[in-house]
Amino acid sequence: MSHPLFDLTGKTALITGSSRGLGRAFAEGLAQAGARIVLNGVNADRLETAAQEMRDQGFDVLTSAFDVADEAAIVAAFEALDAEVVDVDILVNNAGIQFRKPMLELDTADWRRVIDINLTAAFVVGREAAKRMAKRGRGKVINIGSLTSELARATVAPYTVAKGGIKMLTKAMAAEWGEAGIQANAIGPGYMVTDMNEALLSNPEFDAWVKGRTPMRRWGLPEELAGTCIYLASDASNYVSGQIIYADGGMISVL
C-alpha cells in the first residue's frame, strides 16, 4: 500500500504534451498513484490511442486536444472541462519543442515559436488552471524545466532562454498564488531517452559526452521522473513551493 501522503486518489491531473515521451511518463506515474488523468496534445488520434492504452491498464483517462500555443484554444479547453465538471487539481506544464541553430543564423520567427511553446504556454495554461484552483483553495502546478534552466549550450539559445524563464515563472507563480493554497514547483530533467533526443542518442560522440559528464554514467529514463512528479503533486510537498528539482544523474552538480 502506498503512503497516504503520496496517494492521489480523487485528484485530477492535466499533463500537456502527454501522448508520448516525458509527458506520457508523467501521466502514467500520476495514474499509478491514483489520479484521474487528462491527456493533452494537438493530434487527437494519437491522443486517443494513448488514452486507450492507459485505460487498458485500468487507469481513468480523459483527453483534451488543444494547441498550447493557441491562447483561445486553451481558454476553450478549460471551459469545456468546466462544463463536464472536471476540476484540475494538478497541472503538469510539460509541452515543449527543441530547435537547434546558431544564434547568428536564427530567424526571429523560430525564436518566438520556441519561446511561445516552451514558456508562454506554461504561463497561459497555468493561469487558466490557477484561476480555478484558487476558487477551491488548493492546487499543484508542476512546470518542466531543464538543465538549461541553469546552464547554456551552443545552438539552443531560445530553448535555454525559455527554460531559464520556466525557473523564474515557477517562482513568480509561487509568490502570487501561495496565499490561494497553490504550490508551484518545477522539475529539471537531465539528458533523457526520448524521441526529442533521438538524434543525440544516435550520435556516438554526443552519447559519450553525456555519459562522461554525468556522474551516473548514463542517460535518464522517462519513468525515472515519475517519482519526483508524484511528490510535487501530492500532499507530501504541501509546504514546498517555488523550487526546481533537478533529476539529472548529478550532471548539474559537477564540473
Side-chain angles (χ1 to χ4, degrees):
M1 179 181 293
S2 63
H3 194 289
L5 278 176
F6 298 92
D7 185 4
L8 300 179
T9 301
K11 305 293 186 182
T12 296
L14 168 63
I15 305 96
T16 64
S18 50
S19 64
R20 59 183 179 177
L22 296 187
R24 176 72 177 269
F26 291 133
E28 292 193 354
L30 295 174
Q32 289 164 2
R36 176 172 59 171
I37 302 300
V38 182
L39 295 179
N40 160 261
V42 293
N43 186 315
D45 291 338
R46 186 163 63 200
L47 204 58
E48 185 54 39
T49 296
Q52 191 55 54
E53 289 173 353
M54 289 186 65
R55 293 181 192 121
D56 290 344
Q57 298 177 62
F59 300 134
D60 185 0
V61 184
L62 307 173
T63 63
S64 180
F66 62 86
D67 183 350
V68 297
D70 184 339
E71 182 172 2
I74 293 168
V75 173
F78 273 93
E79 290 175 347
L81 291 172
D82 292 341
E84 297 171 13
V85 197
V86 176
D87 294 332
V88 174
D89 305 290
I90 302 155
L91 168 66
V92 182
N93 271 318
N94 168 76
I97 61 169
Q98 179 61 285
F99 188 81
R100 301 178 188 280
K101 183 174 279 192
M103 278 193 285
L104 294 182
E105 303 170 15
L106 184 64
D107 293 336
T108 306
D110 291 323
W111 167 279
R112 287 177 175 152
R113 181 167 175 264
V114 175
I115 297 293
D116 283 348
I117 293 176
N118 289 280
L119 178 57
T120 306
F123 157 66
V124 178
V125 178
R127 181 192 66 197
E128 293 306 306
K131 284 179 182 178
R132 293 153 174 84
M133 292 173 177
K135 291 177 181 179
R136 300 192 298 274
R138 66 181 188 279
K140 302 279 187 171
V141 177
I142 304 168
N143 297 318
I144 305 305
S146 163
L147 291 178
T148 58
S149 295
E150 297 287 348
L151 303 170
R153 272 191 66 83
T155 76
V156 292
Y159 185 84
T160 299
V161 171
K163 293 303 184 178
I166 284 289
K167 175 184 174 181
M168 297 312 298
L169 174 64
T170 301
K171 293 182 181 297
M173 288 174 167
E176 292 202 20
W177 300 343
E179 192 173 2
I182 300 168
Q183 292 87 55
N185 292 288
I187 300 172
Y191 283 95
M192 312 299 292
V193 179
T194 64
D195 292 344
M196 182 183 287
N197 287 331
E198 186 174 350
L200 301 180
L201 283 158
S202 61
N203 181 322
E205 184 178 353
F206 196 88
D207 177 61
W209 177 83
V210 169
K211 291 173 180 175
R213 181 73 173 75
T214 305
M216 293 181 68
R217 301 294 183 250
R218 65 178 179 84
W219 294 67
L221 301 175
E223 56 267 30
E224 292 179 305
L225 299 175
T228 304
C229 190
I230 292 167
Y231 164 66
L232 293 176
S234 72
D235 287 345
S237 62
N238 279 353
Y239 201 57
V240 177
S241 200
Q243 305 303 308
I244 181 165
I245 299 175
Y246 292 98
D248 64 352
M251 180 182 276
I252 207 169
S253 299
V254 299
L255 291 174

